[in-house]
Amino acid sequence: MSPDDAGFGADNLPYGVDEAGHVVVAWRHEVIDLVHATGLDVGPEVWASGSLNAFFALGPDAWAATRAQLQAGLADQPDRARRPRHQVRLVLPWEVGDYADFYASLEHASNMGRILRPDGEPLPPAWRHLPIGYHGRAGTVVASGSEIPRPAGLIGPGDPAAAHDQPGQQPEFGPTRRLDVEVELGFVIGSGVARGQSIPVTDAERHVFGVVLVNDWSARDIQAFEYQPLGPFLGKSFATSVSPWVVPLAALEPWRVDGPVQQPEPSAYLKAGEPRGYDVGLQLSINDQVVSTTSSAGLYWSMAQQLAHLTVNGSGVRAGDLLASGTISGPTAGTEGSLMELTGGGRRALRLGDGTTRTWLADGDKATIRGWCGPRGGPGWLSLGDVNGTVVPCGQEVTPP
Ligand code: CA
């Protein structure tokens, strides 16, 4: 079995949705179409509903029972339920409700602070007290493989990549010249709570169905001009790509790790027991040339802390909501999760393995994020698959993936 197929073993079993709207599960080199699967308590009406939301609605006990029934009956599935994985075209696997993006990596937040505010404190004053985030645009969360048209917007007069950089000049409207990626992990809420309620940090993981890879595409020049004081708006809202496979949180159980020490100690509603993190390896490639390899193990604010924070004001949360970690960066060169950091804010070009150089993404570039747990091909190796997208020129109409 190839390492790629081994990464989709019986301890993984991620869920996706195919072009026909059927829920499918990846197993080795195949998918199992749950509409035709045997041995499941949950009926075909849920599996033919076009998204995972109907399954989310059944709740954590049904998710656990289905997973156990699938694992027990993998070898007994009829031929009509099985297809080669590479032949199956996958779509966005769930209807995305609200989308929030956090800023949970200490290394990323510190790198960004040093680039954007070289003379100030790298971290904003609240950063160590709460998981900083912003509400993103759910309607532009797109399936892996979707084309990403280069966005246009107002670019400030002082921007280093702008055509004119004289002080006092007017901002300039045009296609972004600083198109970037952000390597992130997203978690999909499967079970919500009503407005007026909050989710205690100790209970947060019960509300999470699973994990996806996220690319939070970012136009750094548009973002730089607009972001103060309310945060990013058009610089990020044009597209967010997610991987087609939603890996159940239960599959990540063996890959729990203690998080970094939190100092000062978090407020009571954010105090989480250990192990609070997950060790997911992540790799960013541009045109199949690897530019960064990192891991989620060192994330300062955990998924549970993010969800507890999001709901502590009584905002509630709904099944289908997507919460993303923010860019995941490590402490050393080559572990940064964005071109912004890899190029020092655009000051150093990056040499790709094919001999070309990049500071920001060019039209035609394909960015891919891969995710996994464990040593590749080794015992327990688990694949999260990948999320990819290709940049197309500004204004180009997009074709479905
Ligand atoms: Ca982000």
Side-chain angles (χ1 to χ4, degrees), residues 239-272:
T240 306
S241 300
V242 295
S243 56
W245 294 116
V246 184
V247 174
L249 201 56
L252 296 187
E253 194 61 30
W255 305 103
R256 285 177 171 278
V257 285
D258 286 358
V261 172
Q262 294 186 306
Q263 198 55 250
E265 212 171 286
S267 172
Y269 81 91
L270 289 170
K271 221 172 267 179

PDB file of all heavy atoms in Angstrom, residues 239-272:
ATOM      1  N   ALA A 239     -11.807  34.841  -0.490  1.00  0.00           N
ATOM      2  CA  ALA A 239     -11.795  33.372  -0.584  1.00  0.00           C
ATOM      3  C   ALA A 239     -11.082  32.746   0.604  1.00  0.00           C
ATOM      4  O   ALA A 239     -10.078  33.279   1.083  1.00  0.00           O
ATOM      5  CB  ALA A 239     -11.109  32.907  -1.870  1.00  0.00           C
ATOM      6  N   THR A 240     -11.617  31.647   1.079  1.00  0.00           N
ATOM      7  CA  THR A 240     -10.965  30.787   2.069  1.00  0.00           C
ATOM      8  C   THR A 240     -11.191  29.358   1.594  1.00  0.00           C
ATOM      9  O   THR A 240     -12.335  28.939   1.427  1.00  0.00           O
ATOM     10  CB  THR A 240     -11.612  30.973   3.462  1.00  0.00           C
ATOM     11  OG1 THR A 240     -11.593  32.364   3.804  1.00  0.00           O
ATOM     12  CG2 THR A 240     -10.878  30.171   4.521  1.00  0.00           C
ATOM     13  N   SER A 241     -10.112  28.623   1.331  1.00  0.00           N
ATOM     14  CA  SER A 241     -10.252  27.255   0.805  1.00  0.00           C
ATOM     15  C   SER A 241     -10.164  26.237   1.936  1.00  0.00           C
ATOM     16  O   SER A 241      -9.349  26.395   2.851  1.00  0.00           O
ATOM     17  CB  SER A 241      -9.147  26.950  -0.214  1.00  0.00           C
ATOM     18  OG  SER A 241      -9.201  27.854  -1.293  1.00  0.00           O
ATOM     19  N   VAL A 242     -10.983  25.190   1.855  1.00  0.00           N
ATOM     20  CA  VAL A 242     -10.929  24.120   2.868  1.00  0.00           C
ATOM     21  C   VAL A 242     -10.743  22.768   2.179  1.00  0.00           C
ATOM     22  O   VAL A 242     -11.162  22.570   1.031  1.00  0.00           O
ATOM     23  CB  VAL A 242     -12.193  24.073   3.762  1.00  0.00           C
ATOM     24  CG1 VAL A 242     -12.306  25.335   4.601  1.00  0.00           C
ATOM     25  CG2 VAL A 242     -13.459  23.854   2.951  1.00  0.00           C
ATOM     26  N   SER A 243     -10.134  21.837   2.908  1.00  0.00           N
ATOM     27  CA  SER A 243      -9.887  20.506   2.360  1.00  0.00           C
ATOM     28  C   SER A 243     -11.200  19.743   2.220  1.00  0.00           C
ATOM     29  O   SER A 243     -12.164  20.012   2.939  1.00  0.00           O
ATOM     30  CB  SER A 243      -8.919  19.735   3.253  1.00  0.00           C
ATOM     31  OG  SER A 243      -9.412  19.667   4.575  1.00  0.00           O
ATOM     32  N   PRO A 244     -11.257  18.783   1.288  1.00  0.00           N
ATOM     33  CA  PRO A 244     -12.515  18.071   1.052  1.00  0.00           C
ATOM     34  C   PRO A 244     -12.835  17.027   2.108  1.00  0.00           C
ATOM     35  O   PRO A 244     -13.985  16.631   2.248  1.00  0.00           O
ATOM     36  CB  PRO A 244     -12.282  17.388  -0.295  1.00  0.00           C
ATOM     37  CG  PRO A 244     -10.804  17.244  -0.403  1.00  0.00           C
ATOM     38  CD  PRO A 244     -10.205  18.418   0.334  1.00  0.00           C
ATOM     39  N   TRP A 245     -11.829  16.565   2.847  1.00  0.00           N
ATOM     40  CA  TRP A 245     -12.067  15.541   3.866  1.00  0.00           C
ATOM     41  C   TRP A 245     -12.153  16.185   5.237  1.00  0.00           C
ATOM     42  O   TRP A 245     -11.253  16.932   5.635  1.00  0.00           O
ATOM     43  CB  TRP A 245     -10.929  14.509   3.874  1.00  0.00           C
ATOM     44  CG  TRP A 245     -10.853  13.699   2.625  1.00  0.00           C
ATOM     45  CD1 TRP A 245      -9.834  13.682   1.719  1.00  0.00           C
ATOM     46  CD2 TRP A 245     -11.831  12.766   2.137  1.00  0.00           C
ATOM     47  NE1 TRP A 245     -10.122  12.813   0.702  1.00  0.00           N
ATOM     48  CE2 TRP A 245     -11.335  12.232   0.935  1.00  0.00           C
ATOM     49  CE3 TRP A 245     -13.083  12.337   2.604  1.00  0.00           C
ATOM     50  CZ2 TRP A 245     -12.047  11.292   0.179  1.00  0.00           C
ATOM     51  CZ3 TRP A 245     -13.791  11.414   1.859  1.00  0.00           C
ATOM     52  CH2 TRP A 245     -13.278  10.895   0.669  1.00  0.00           C
ATOM     53  N   VAL A 246     -13.241  15.902   5.957  1.00  0.00           N
ATOM     54  CA  VAL A 246     -13.377  16.344   7.346  1.00  0.00           C
ATOM     55  C   VAL A 246     -12.957  15.165   8.216  1.00  0.00           C
ATOM     56  O   VAL A 246     -13.633  14.124   8.235  1.00  0.00           O
ATOM     57  CB  VAL A 246     -14.822  16.763   7.673  1.00  0.00           C
ATOM     58  CG1 VAL A 246     -14.900  17.300   9.096  1.00  0.00           C
ATOM     59  CG2 VAL A 246     -15.330  17.802   6.680  1.00  0.00           C
ATOM     60  N   VAL A 247     -11.826  15.313   8.892  1.00  0.00           N
ATOM     61  CA  VAL A 247     -11.308  14.227   9.730  1.00  0.00           C
ATOM     62  C   VAL A 247     -11.992  14.300  11.093  1.00  0.00           C
ATOM     63  O   VAL A 247     -11.933  15.339  11.767  1.00  0.00           O
ATOM     64  CB  VAL A 247      -9.779  14.331   9.887  1.00  0.00           C
ATOM     65  CG1 VAL A 247      -9.261  13.293  10.882  1.00  0.00           C
ATOM     66  CG2 VAL A 247      -9.101  14.150   8.536  1.00  0.00           C
ATOM     67  N   PRO A 248     -12.678  13.214  11.509  1.00  0.00           N
ATOM     68  CA  PRO A 248     -13.378  13.258  12.803  1.00  0.00           C
ATOM     69  C   PRO A 248     -12.387  13.548  13.932  1.00  0.00           C
ATOM     70  O   PRO A 248     -11.258  13.039  13.906  1.00  0.00           O
ATOM     71  CB  PRO A 248     -13.956  11.856  12.955  1.00  0.00           C
ATOM     72  CG  PRO A 248     -13.887  11.220  11.616  1.00  0.00           C
ATOM     73  CD  PRO A 248     -12.794  11.898  10.862  1.00  0.00           C
ATOM     74  N   LEU A 249     -12.823  14.326  14.892  1.00  0.00           N
ATOM     75  CA  LEU A 249     -11.936  14.653  16.008  1.00  0.00           C
ATOM     76  C   LEU A 249     -11.449  13.383  16.710  1.00  0.00           C
ATOM     77  O   LEU A 249     -10.319  13.316  17.190  1.00  0.00           O
ATOM     78  CB  LEU A 249     -12.670  15.568  16.994  1.00  0.00           C
ATOM     79  CG  LEU A 249     -11.778  16.382  17.921  1.00  0.00           C
ATOM     80  CD1 LEU A 249     -10.789  17.240  17.148  1.00  0.00           C
ATOM     81  CD2 LEU A 249     -12.609  17.231  18.857  1.00  0.00           C
ATOM     82  N   ALA A 250     -12.306  12.351  16.721  1.00  0.00           N
ATOM     83  CA  ALA A 250     -11.930  11.081  17.365  1.00  0.00           C
ATOM     84  C   ALA A 250     -10.663  10.488  16.749  1.00  0.00           C
ATOM     85  O   ALA A 250      -9.874   9.826  17.428  1.00  0.00           O
ATOM     86  CB  ALA A 250     -13.087  10.082  17.245  1.00  0.00           C
ATOM     87  N   ALA A 251     -10.450  10.745  15.442  1.00  0.00           N
ATOM     88  CA  ALA A 251      -9.269  10.177  14.765  1.00  0.00           C
ATOM     89  C   ALA A 251      -7.979  10.841  15.246  1.00  0.00           C
ATOM     90  O   ALA A 251      -6.901  10.281  15.109  1.00  0.00           O
ATOM     91  CB  ALA A 251      -9.411  10.336  13.254  1.00  0.00           C
ATOM     92  N   LEU A 252      -8.094  12.058  15.780  1.00  0.00           N
ATOM     93  CA  LEU A 252      -6.892  12.788  16.219  1.00  0.00           C
ATOM     94  C   LEU A 252      -6.534  12.492  17.674  1.00  0.00           C
ATOM     95  O   LEU A 252      -5.526  12.992  18.185  1.00  0.00           O
ATOM     96  CB  LEU A 252      -7.091  14.291  16.037  1.00  0.00           C
ATOM     97  CG  LEU A 252      -7.265  14.789  14.601  1.00  0.00           C
ATOM     98  CD1 LEU A 252      -7.275  16.309  14.577  1.00  0.00           C
ATOM     99  CD2 LEU A 252      -6.160  14.276  13.690  1.00  0.00           C
ATOM    100  N   GLU A 253      -7.362  11.692  18.334  1.00  0.00           N
ATOM    101  CA  GLU A 253      -7.159  11.400  19.763  1.00  0.00           C
ATOM    102  C   GLU A 253      -5.723  10.936  20.075  1.00  0.00           C
ATOM    103  O   GLU A 253      -5.118  11.409  21.042  1.00  0.00           O
ATOM    104  CB  GLU A 253      -8.194  10.355  20.206  1.00  0.00           C
ATOM    105  CG  GLU A 253      -8.334  10.179  21.703  1.00  0.00           C
ATOM    106  CD  GLU A 253      -8.781  11.443  22.430  1.00  0.00           C
ATOM    107  OE1 GLU A 253      -9.516  12.267  21.836  1.00  0.00           O
ATOM    108  OE2 GLU A 253      -8.379  11.593  23.587  1.00  0.00           O
ATOM    109  N   PRO A 254      -5.135  10.027  19.269  1.00  0.00           N
ATOM    110  CA  PRO A 254      -3.763   9.583  19.598  1.00  0.00           C
ATOM    111  C   PRO A 254      -2.717  10.674  19.419  1.00  0.00           C
ATOM    112  O   PRO A 254      -1.559  10.472  19.799  1.00  0.00           O
ATOM    113  CB  PRO A 254      -3.502   8.452  18.582  1.00  0.00           C
ATOM    114  CG  PRO A 254      -4.820   8.101  18.004  1.00  0.00           C
ATOM    115  CD  PRO A 254      -5.686   9.312  18.114  1.00  0.00           C
ATOM    116  N   TRP A 255      -3.077  11.788  18.810  1.00  0.00           N
ATOM    117  CA  TRP A 255      -2.098  12.820  18.467  1.00  0.00           C
ATOM    118  C   TRP A 255      -2.250  14.064  19.334  1.00  0.00           C
ATOM    119  O   TRP A 255      -1.836  15.161  18.961  1.00  0.00           O
ATOM    120  CB  TRP A 255      -2.205  13.151  16.968  1.00  0.00           C
ATOM    121  CG  TRP A 255      -2.066  11.898  16.173  1.00  0.00           C
ATOM    122  CD1 TRP A 255      -3.060  11.183  15.565  1.00  0.00           C
ATOM    123  CD2 TRP A 255      -0.865  11.147  15.965  1.00  0.00           C
ATOM    124  NE1 TRP A 255      -2.554  10.053  14.986  1.00  0.00           N
ATOM    125  CE2 TRP A 255      -1.204   9.999  15.211  1.00  0.00           C
ATOM    126  CE3 TRP A 255       0.471  11.339  16.342  1.00  0.00           C
ATOM    127  CZ2 TRP A 255      -0.260   9.053  14.838  1.00  0.00           C
ATOM    128  CZ3 TRP A 255       1.407  10.389  15.957  1.00  0.00           C
ATOM    129  CH2 TRP A 255       1.039   9.270  15.215  1.00  0.00           C
ATOM    130  N   ARG A 256      -2.815  13.881  20.518  1.00  0.00           N
ATOM    131  CA  ARG A 256      -2.900  14.986  21.474  1.00  0.00           C
ATOM    132  C   ARG A 256      -1.517  15.289  22.041  1.00  0.00           C
ATOM    133  O   ARG A 256      -0.719  14.380  22.271  1.00  0.00           O
ATOM    134  CB  ARG A 256      -3.807  14.597  22.633  1.00  0.00           C
ATOM    135  CG  ARG A 256      -5.281  14.605  22.316  1.00  0.00           C
ATOM    136  CD  ARG A 256      -6.032  14.136  23.544  1.00  0.00           C
ATOM    137  NE  ARG A 256      -7.455  14.305  23.404  1.00  0.00           N
ATOM    138  CZ  ARG A 256      -8.114  15.449  23.607  1.00  0.00           C
ATOM    139  NH1 ARG A 256      -7.472  16.525  23.981  1.00  0.00           N
ATOM    140  NH2 ARG A 256      -9.419  15.505  23.443  1.00  0.00           N
ATOM    141  N   VAL A 257      -1.280  16.566  22.294  1.00  0.00           N
ATOM    142  CA  VAL A 257      -0.015  16.979  22.925  1.00  0.00           C
ATOM    143  C   VAL A 257      -0.305  18.109  23.916  1.00  0.00           C
ATOM    144  O   VAL A 257      -1.282  18.855  23.773  1.00  0.00           O
ATOM    145  CB  VAL A 257       1.007  17.507  21.892  1.00  0.00           C
ATOM    146  CG1 VAL A 257       1.617  16.364  21.096  1.00  0.00           C
ATOM    147  CG2 VAL A 257       0.388  18.547  20.961  1.00  0.00           C
ATOM    148  N   ASP A 258       0.567  18.219  24.903  1.00  0.00           N
ATOM    149  CA  ASP A 258       0.475  19.366  25.809  1.00  0.00           C
ATOM    150  C   ASP A 258       0.776  20.644  25.028  1.00  0.00           C
ATOM    151  O   ASP A 258       1.661  20.655  24.168  1.00  0.00           O
ATOM    152  CB  ASP A 258       1.493  19.230  26.951  1.00  0.00           C
ATOM    153  CG  ASP A 258       1.068  18.172  27.970  1.00  0.00           C
ATOM    154  OD1 ASP A 258      -0.014  17.576  27.808  1.00  0.00           O
ATOM    155  OD2 ASP A 258       1.837  17.953  28.922  1.00  0.00           O
ATOM    156  N   GLY A 259       0.064  21.708  25.345  1.00  0.00           N
ATOM    157  CA  GLY A 259       0.337  23.004  24.715  1.00  0.00           C
ATOM    158  C   GLY A 259       1.451  23.726  25.443  1.00  0.00           C
ATOM    159  O   GLY A 259       1.890  23.288  26.519  1.00  0.00           O
ATOM    160  N   PRO A 260       1.938  24.831  24.854  1.00  0.00           N
ATOM    161  CA  PRO A 260       2.960  25.618  25.547  1.00  0.00           C
ATOM    162  C   PRO A 260       2.413  26.224  26.845  1.00  0.00           C
ATOM    163  O   PRO A 260       1.201  26.429  26.972  1.00  0.00           O
ATOM    164  CB  PRO A 260       3.320  26.719  24.546  1.00  0.00           C
ATOM    165  CG  PRO A 260       2.335  26.645  23.450  1.00  0.00           C
ATOM    166  CD  PRO A 260       1.553  25.386  23.561  1.00  0.00           C
ATOM    167  N   VAL A 261       3.299  26.473  27.805  1.00  0.00           N
ATOM    168  CA  VAL A 261       2.896  27.096  29.075  1.00  0.00           C
ATOM    169  C   VAL A 261       2.276  28.457  28.785  1.00  0.00           C
ATOM    170  O   VAL A 261       2.767  29.205  27.942  1.00  0.00           O
ATOM    171  CB  VAL A 261       4.134  27.261  29.995  1.00  0.00           C
ATOM    172  CG1 VAL A 261       3.788  28.073  31.238  1.00  0.00           C
ATOM    173  CG2 VAL A 261       4.691  25.897  30.367  1.00  0.00           C
ATOM    174  N   GLN A 262       1.163  28.751  29.453  1.00  0.00           N
ATOM    175  CA  GLN A 262       0.490  30.036  29.227  1.00  0.00           C
ATOM    176  C   GLN A 262       0.775  30.976  30.396  1.00  0.00           C
ATOM    177  O   GLN A 262       0.438  30.689  31.537  1.00  0.00           O
ATOM    178  CB  GLN A 262      -1.011  29.810  29.033  1.00  0.00           C
ATOM    179  CG  GLN A 262      -1.271  29.029  27.740  1.00  0.00           C
ATOM    180  CD  GLN A 262      -2.727  28.897  27.394  1.00  0.00           C
ATOM    181  OE1 GLN A 262      -3.518  28.438  28.208  1.00  0.00           O
ATOM    182  NE2 GLN A 262      -3.097  29.276  26.181  1.00  0.00           N
ATOM    183  N   GLN A 263       1.426  32.059  30.080  1.00  0.00           N
ATOM    184  CA  GLN A 263       1.812  33.053  31.079  1.00  0.00           C
ATOM    185  C   GLN A 263       1.492  34.444  30.558  1.00  0.00           C
ATOM    186  O   GLN A 263       1.980  34.786  29.486  1.00  0.00           O
ATOM    187  CB  GLN A 263       3.331  32.918  31.353  1.00  0.00           C
ATOM    188  CG  GLN A 263       3.823  33.559  32.628  1.00  0.00           C
ATOM    189  CD  GLN A 263       3.085  33.081  33.860  1.00  0.00           C
ATOM    190  OE1 GLN A 263       2.330  33.859  34.430  1.00  0.00           O
ATOM    191  NE2 GLN A 263       3.261  31.830  34.269  1.00  0.00           N
ATOM    192  N   PRO A 264       0.671  35.248  31.239  1.00  0.00           N
ATOM    193  CA  PRO A 264       0.012  34.979  32.515  1.00  0.00           C
ATOM    194  C   PRO A 264      -1.027  33.868  32.387  1.00  0.00           C
ATOM    195  O   PRO A 264      -1.485  33.551  31.291  1.00  0.00           O
ATOM    196  CB  PRO A 264      -0.667  36.314  32.835  1.00  0.00           C
ATOM    197  CG  PRO A 264      -0.899  36.944  31.507  1.00  0.00           C
ATOM    198  CD  PRO A 264       0.259  36.519  30.655  1.00  0.00           C
ATOM    199  N   GLU A 265      -1.388  33.317  33.543  1.00  0.00           N
ATOM    200  CA  GLU A 265      -2.395  32.270  33.573  1.00  0.00           C
ATOM    201  C   GLU A 265      -3.704  32.801  32.984  1.00  0.00           C
ATOM    202  O   GLU A 265      -4.123  33.907  33.319  1.00  0.00           O
ATOM    203  CB  GLU A 265      -2.625  31.869  35.025  1.00  0.00           C
ATOM    204  CG  GLU A 265      -2.982  30.412  35.176  1.00  0.00           C
ATOM    205  CD  GLU A 265      -2.981  30.021  36.640  1.00  0.00           C
ATOM    206  OE1 GLU A 265      -1.886  29.894  37.214  1.00  0.00           O
ATOM    207  OE2 GLU A 265      -4.080  29.874  37.189  1.00  0.00           O
ATOM    208  N   PRO A 266      -4.342  32.032  32.115  1.00  0.00           N
ATOM    209  CA  PRO A 266      -5.585  32.524  31.504  1.00  0.00           C
ATOM    210  C   PRO A 266      -6.710  32.688  32.535  1.00  0.00           C
ATOM    211  O   PRO A 266      -6.703  32.027  33.577  1.00  0.00           O
ATOM    212  CB  PRO A 266      -5.950  31.443  30.503  1.00  0.00           C
ATOM    213  CG  PRO A 266      -4.777  30.556  30.372  1.00  0.00           C
ATOM    214  CD  PRO A 266      -3.971  30.704  31.624  1.00  0.00           C
ATOM    215  N   SER A 267      -7.635  33.540  32.205  1.00  0.00           N
ATOM    216  CA  SER A 267      -8.850  33.728  32.985  1.00  0.00           C
ATOM    217  C   SER A 267      -9.558  32.369  33.162  1.00  0.00           C
ATOM    218  O   SER A 267      -9.386  31.468  32.347  1.00  0.00           O
ATOM    219  CB  SER A 267      -9.735  34.709  32.216  1.00  0.00           C
ATOM    220  OG  SER A 267     -10.986  34.814  32.807  1.00  0.00           O
ATOM    221  N   ALA A 268     -10.357  32.239  34.227  1.00  0.00           N
ATOM    222  CA  ALA A 268     -10.944  30.931  34.565  1.00  0.00           C
ATOM    223  C   ALA A 268     -11.686  30.300  33.387  1.00  0.00           C
ATOM    224  O   ALA A 268     -11.607  29.088  33.169  1.00  0.00           O
ATOM    225  CB  ALA A 268     -11.879  31.087  35.760  1.00  0.00           C
ATOM    226  N   TYR A 269     -12.395  31.108  32.596  1.00  0.00           N
ATOM    227  CA  TYR A 269     -13.195  30.522  31.515  1.00  0.00           C
ATOM    228  C   TYR A 269     -12.324  29.980  30.373  1.00  0.00           C
ATOM    229  O   TYR A 269     -12.828  29.259  29.501  1.00  0.00           O
ATOM    230  CB  TYR A 269     -14.224  31.538  30.990  1.00  0.00           C
ATOM    231  CG  TYR A 269     -13.715  32.560  29.999  1.00  0.00           C
ATOM    232  CD1 TYR A 269     -13.764  32.331  28.626  1.00  0.00           C
ATOM    233  CD2 TYR A 269     -13.196  33.782  30.433  1.00  0.00           C
ATOM    234  CE1 TYR A 269     -13.307  33.265  27.714  1.00  0.00           C
ATOM    235  CE2 TYR A 269     -12.745  34.722  29.536  1.00  0.00           C
ATOM    236  CZ  TYR A 269     -12.800  34.467  28.173  1.00  0.00           C
ATOM    237  OH  TYR A 269     -12.344  35.399  27.269  1.00  0.00           O
ATOM    238  N   LEU A 270     -11.033  30.301  30.400  1.00  0.00           N
ATOM    239  CA  LEU A 270     -10.115  29.827  29.356  1.00  0.00           C
ATOM    240  C   LEU A 270      -9.104  28.809  29.873  1.00  0.00           C
ATOM    241  O   LEU A 270      -8.234  28.355  29.138  1.00  0.00           O
ATOM    242  CB  LEU A 270      -9.342  31.020  28.760  1.00  0.00           C
ATOM    243  CG  LEU A 270     -10.156  31.977  27.893  1.00  0.00           C
ATOM    244  CD1 LEU A 270      -9.353  33.228  27.582  1.00  0.00           C
ATOM    245  CD2 LEU A 270     -10.580  31.291  26.594  1.00  0.00           C
ATOM    246  N   LYS A 271      -9.236  28.445  31.153  1.00  0.00           N
ATOM    247  CA  LYS A 271      -8.260  27.534  31.739  1.00  0.00           C
ATOM    248  C   LYS A 271      -8.534  26.104  31.269  1.00  0.00           C
ATOM    249  O   LYS A 271      -9.576  25.532  31.580  1.00  0.00           O
ATOM    250  CB  LYS A 271      -8.330  27.618  33.272  1.00  0.00           C
ATOM    251  CG  LYS A 271      -6.957  27.601  33.912  1.00  0.00           C
ATOM    252  CD  LYS A 271      -7.043  27.870  35.391  1.00  0.00           C
ATOM    253  CE  LYS A 271      -6.867  29.360  35.681  1.00  0.00           C
ATOM    254  NZ  LYS A 271      -6.960  29.658  37.116  1.00  0.00           N
ATOM    255  N   ALA A 272      -7.592  25.537  30.532  1.00  0.00           N
ATOM    256  CA  ALA A 272      -7.801  24.220  29.928  1.00  0.00           C
ATOM    257  C   ALA A 272      -6.818  23.215  30.493  1.00  0.00           C
ATOM    258  O   ALA A 272      -5.668  23.551  30.761  1.00  0.00           O
ATOM    259  CB  ALA A 272      -7.626  24.317  28.413  1.00  0.00           C
TER     260      ALA A 272
END
